[in-house]
Amino acid sequence: MSEWMWQWEGYDPDAERLRESLCTLGNGYFATRGAVPESRAGLVHCPGTYVAGCFNRLESTVAGRQVVNEDLVNLPNWLFLRFRVRRAEGAWGPWFSPDTHALMGYRHTLDLRRATLTRAFRYRDDAAGVLGVEQTRLVHMGDPHLAALRTVFTAEDWSGEIEIESCLDGEVINGNVHRYRALNRSHVTRVRTGAQKPHTVWLSCRTSTSDIGVAMAARTTVVTSPAPASSVLRPARRRAVHRLVVPIVPGRPVGVEKTVALHTSRDTAISDPLEAAVDGVSTAADFSALLHSHAAAWERLWRRADIQVPGRAGRVLRFHLFHVLQTLSPHTGDLDVGVPARGLHGEAYRGHVFWDELFVLPYLNLHFPEISRALLDYRYRRLPRARRAAAENGRAGAMYPWQSGSDGREETQEWHLNPRSGRWLPDHSRLQHHVGSAIAYNVWQYGEATGDTEYLYTRGAEMLVQIARFWADLAVFDTDMDRYRIRGVVGPDEYHDGYPDAALPGLDDNAYTNVTAAWVLNRALDVLRRLPAWRREELFDRVQLDGDELPKWEEVSRRLRVPFHQGVISQFEGYDDLAELDWDAYRARYDSIRRLDRILEAEGDTVNRYKASKQADVLMLGYLFSPAELRDLFRRLGYDLDDEVWRRTVDYYLQRTSHGSTLSGVVHGLVLARVRRAEAWSYVQEALQADIADIQGGTTGEGIHLGAMAGTLDLVQRGLTGLQTREDALWLDPVPLPALSEYGFSLRYRGHWGVGVRRRSGQLQIRVPDSEESPIRVVLADRAVTIAPGETCTLALPTS
Ligand code: IFM
């Protein structure tokens, strides 16, 4: 099979949700799950279409409490198309469904290069005979408002008729996540349908509270002869239906094309969504022309982004890249959207935006800086809201929300369900203020990778300053300890949201939070120093900063506390007082202990009592910063972090982490590779398997894990190469990972398009494409070279 093809053989109802997520097609503007076209939502199938940033807020009552949640809306199903057959003059057989008909061969093929999903199968219908069916769909990457489905029917041993029902189905709810079933899930309202002869039906609706207008139009045509015996457009209450009856004989396949246009009232350059949708579908080309232009648009993307790694790992990496680009494409640059943690592939986490962009932007910066910039702008536009959140909490600066949606308010639920115990429990994850540091990190990385000082010195600087301000204000001086402390927060490890038996949630001196806060303060000061005088004045004016605040920033950035115990960095103050968990006993008792928090709560216990982490927390520091940077950061804070302390720290948390987040494998893989540990590969493999093997046990069916997918790409791009963009140079410090010792990719670096980086046979080759641009400076541990445009430089790498 070609390295671009992914196939799913046979039909397994239990695996259908997972396959639907993995076969989602999208273009950054919208995405549609890989559900079979004839399916309606139920226990097996879960069709879903999501437009980036199309949220709606609903109130529900759970466990006797009123809660409000904002969700990415599952829009009307444009894909719906079902069929049935009969012999001439005979009775109609039942509508086809893989759940009711015996299948003869059944295969889904996802073609990554052309971004199409093809389903091919045969089945015997008692009312007619054997019918062969091949369906290919696309969600157009060139025109982000178009999608199409082509179906070809082949009667093998009979003649008669086939009836096709093509529909825009407005009978939809957000039903993808079973855990949310107690919540109000009807987001779509005021559904209207209509038809425009000869081939088009349309449907318009509004989201119930955000009042976003959504319109779809579908043109369904038979593209083979003979013409349909009948074609009836039948707009009904919530469904716009088009029924066609077509004669069919052996050897003369019947081809049916459904082309759909989708618009919302948030689109630019339209008059109204319905007119735009009807117009879009009436002027759209036929399927083969659409396929051609769609594949050409993808070809352009692959040229900018492809990653070459031999073997199975390479296949998975490309699969991850495919889904990243389907969620965040150049069309994202025209939208006001953030990084949805679960892609546009399902409804888990309600389409919300977390800190996961930390794992996504560093990859995009070096291929699609315009997408990174748009994603930073999503945060910039919500800076006033983050300022307000800080002020409402009695704080200065900007307090970004842990979960963000439409307007940047805190969207984290206040109660969450433990499906194991059936209990609704308070959710304190909004105390993960470290999300601010992730945004600041991305601002800085974007600036370093692109050299876009215009952005860094304006919007970027404003975000950095306000986030730094928040940290400086949150840090309180403890005279006993002679250190600044940040108290009452939650770190990346979501198992620990408070001290056992404490009245209030939150932890003190989470090492990750404090070290990254110090880093942000230092970077903000750095930017202020770099600003030309007039810009500095302008910024000071805009953010009402006077020089008096800055000495405190400097001081806090040098004197924040990092706790240690037993010669390792403590995840937070008091970590050492927690009990050791009997890991072997829990592993023996449960199939999976990734969600120890749920297991322990169901047992009447709490994970807060134990030295057990859901995901990398302290070790995140070794993910964000190279060993040398980390040493410098700690030195600046007045701590000595030598290799031995870090090695012990890595070992310590490795033994106490359950990897209940897909991000954990990515982080551990890289951190272990950096300290030259052989186990690195098993964590990298875990990260590569996370979605395709659904290792978290059923979560991928609710959407992919975008951070982990992008993280694996960055693991090669920046992790294995040790690539950093700083001081106007490319810094490389490759780490050995024997199982991934060959790779190649090309980067956009500053004005250079397609700087080739290739590692093979112990050598690293860097090729700078011919252009009028300046040479690139490349720094390795033991040497620096300058590579002129048109030149290739080959460097021998040390053997260990
Ligand atoms: O942001 C993550 C978090 O780190 C772990 N739980 C899931 C979130 C969304 O992906």
Side-chain angles (χ1 to χ4, degrees), residues 341-342 349 354-356 402 432 492 494 614-615 661 663 705:
R342 305 301 285 271
Y349 301 140
F354 298 62
W355 73 322
D356 302 41
W402 173 238
Q432 291 191 62
E494 299 183 319
K614 177 180 179 188
Q615 65 199 94
S661 160
L663 298 173
H705 298 82

Side-chain angles (χ1 to χ4, degrees), residues 767-789:
R767 183 182 41 78
V768 180
D770 208 5
S771 73
E772 302 289 300
E773 293 290 327
S774 332
I776 291 182
R777 211 161 66 83
V778 175
V779 186
L780 272 100
D782 55 348
R783 74 208 107 148
V785 289
T786 301
I787 312 173

